Amino acid sequence: MAYAPFNLSGKVALVTGGNRGIGLGMAKAMAQAGADIVIWGSNAERNLAAETELTGLGVRVKAQTVDVSDEAQVAEGMEEAVAAMGRVDSVFANAGIGYGSPSFVEMKTETYRKVLSVNLDGVFFTLREACRHMVERAKAGDPGGSLVGVASLAAIEGAARNEAYAATKGAVISMIKSVAVEHARYGVRANAILPGWIATDMTAGAQANSAFAEKVIPRVPARRWGEPEDFGGMAVYLASDASSYHSGTTIVIDGGYSIF
Ligand code: NDP
């Protein structure tokens, strides 16, 4: 018999960057557990492909073209999502970009600003709109909600040539902790997920690099790249009532890389 709290029927989960990679991996698992799904991405074609795939799992799906670095688009996107689905129970602020640089001294200011606009402004706008919806609902007598920020091991380990990216991910952890404390009174919890080395479009360059395959992946105790599907179970748990007393934490999913 299935563990009842993991049944997400009647719940709505919104995943930014849900049209591929880790976001789609989480969305597919939550759909399989019965949740209706909203995905946001900036590319309409990729959104449509993911929407079709998720709809095939038998739940209601809404894909929206939303650039998370744009404050107005995020506000409108959340309003539309709530209007279409009736409510949003969990929000995964997962959309992100990774821009490395040959070295820190060569890192361009425009690169720094671009990374901050998606990885930090985007998370701020997304979580703030999610909180506005959840606080309003709680005040109307219906408390609860789960917020998730997707950070990175780059937040806690030195990520050479990735100073801007690392800074945004450290900030996501700090923001999540503030949000968790402030919104506990509304039954809302907030946690950060820290992925390790995951095989997605973001890491295509590293996946194709033989030096990386020889030197880095052997240092992952699990001895393999992580896959988007490796995030499904955690997404279902965090979207479910089983995690209602779990808040303010950083959850590392890295095949043991960070403790080896
Ligand atoms: P992918 O490059 O595979 O996917 C990124 C997702 O973010 C896409 O769905 C993309 O959609 C969306 N996105 C990017 N920019 C925007 C934007 N401005 N507005 C809305 N959506 C946007 O990356 P991953 O799945 O690997 O990464 C997901 C998260 O996990 C990121 O936050 C990343 O930093 C983090 N992470 C990943 C690791 C890895 O090894 N892969 C390791 C540690 C952390 P679209 O193209 O339509 O805009």
Side-chain angles (χ1 to χ4, degrees), residues 6 116 123 226 254:
F6 284 175
L116 257 71
V123 171
D254 69 347

Side-chain angles (χ1 to χ4, degrees), residues 2-243:
Y3 179 55
F6 284 175
N7 180 353
L8 301 182
S9 303
K11 291 192 186 294
V12 179
L14 186 154
V15 185
T16 74
N19 64 20
R20 58 189 163 128
I22 293 171
L24 183 56
M26 295 194 294
K28 284 199 295 201
M30 292 189 285
Q32 282 166 332
D36 293 326
I37 304 290
V38 180
I39 54 167
W40 288 359
S42 65
N43 182 299
E45 218 169 289
R46 279 199 278 268
N47 286 346
L48 183 61
E51 186 178 40
T52 305
E53 188 177 354
L54 289 163
T55 302
L57 298 172
V59 295
R60 285 189 304 152
V61 181
K62 182 174 176 62
Q64 296 172 265
T65 303
V66 175
D67 177 348
V68 294
S69 69
D70 183 311
E71 181 173 12
Q73 286 189 35
V74 172
E76 279 164 33
M78 189 65 73
E79 203 176 297
E80 271 178 33
V82 171
M85 307 303 258
R87 59 190 293 121
V88 172
D89 299 285
S90 56
V91 172
F92 292 72
N94 161 78
I97 55 172
Y99 265 111
S101 173
S103 70
F104 184 41
V105 294
E106 292 164 277
M107 193 172 285
K108 294 189 169 60
T109 305
E110 64 190 12
T111 302
Y112 168 75
R113 300 259 180 245
K114 175 74 186 159
V115 172
L116 257 71
S117 75
V118 177
N119 294 11
L120 186 52
D121 295 359
V123 171
F124 172 78
F125 297 144
T126 302
L127 294 180
R128 190 180 58 179
E129 289 311 317
C131 285
R132 285 175 174 160
H133 166 58
M134 288 173 185
V135 167
E136 188 183 310
R137 202 175 59 203
K139 285 182 174 168
D142 183 11
S146 180
L147 303 172
V148 178
V150 176
S152 168
L153 282 192
I156 56 170
E157 299 200 321
R161 298 174 291 281
N162 274 282
E163 284 78 3
Y165 179 81
T168 62
K169 297 305 187 177
V172 167
I173 294 174
S174 302
M175 198 188 307
I176 280 287
K177 288 181 181 177
S178 296
V179 166
V181 170
E182 185 174 338
H183 297 83
R185 73 194 63 184
Y186 303 109
V188 176
R189 68 247 188 228
N191 294 282
I193 293 179
L194 280 61
W197 291 110
I198 315 303
T200 66
D201 292 345
M202 183 178 280
T203 53
Q207 290 172 64
N209 182 335
S210 57
F212 195 94
E214 282 160 26
K215 292 188 177 145
V216 180
I217 296 306
R219 285 171 40 214
V220 178
R223 295 287 190 273
R224 66 168 176 87
W225 280 86
E227 299 292 337
E229 289 68 29
D230 291 319
F231 293 78
M234 186 52 67
V236 170
Y237 165 70
L238 290 175
S240 79
D241 294 337
S243 64

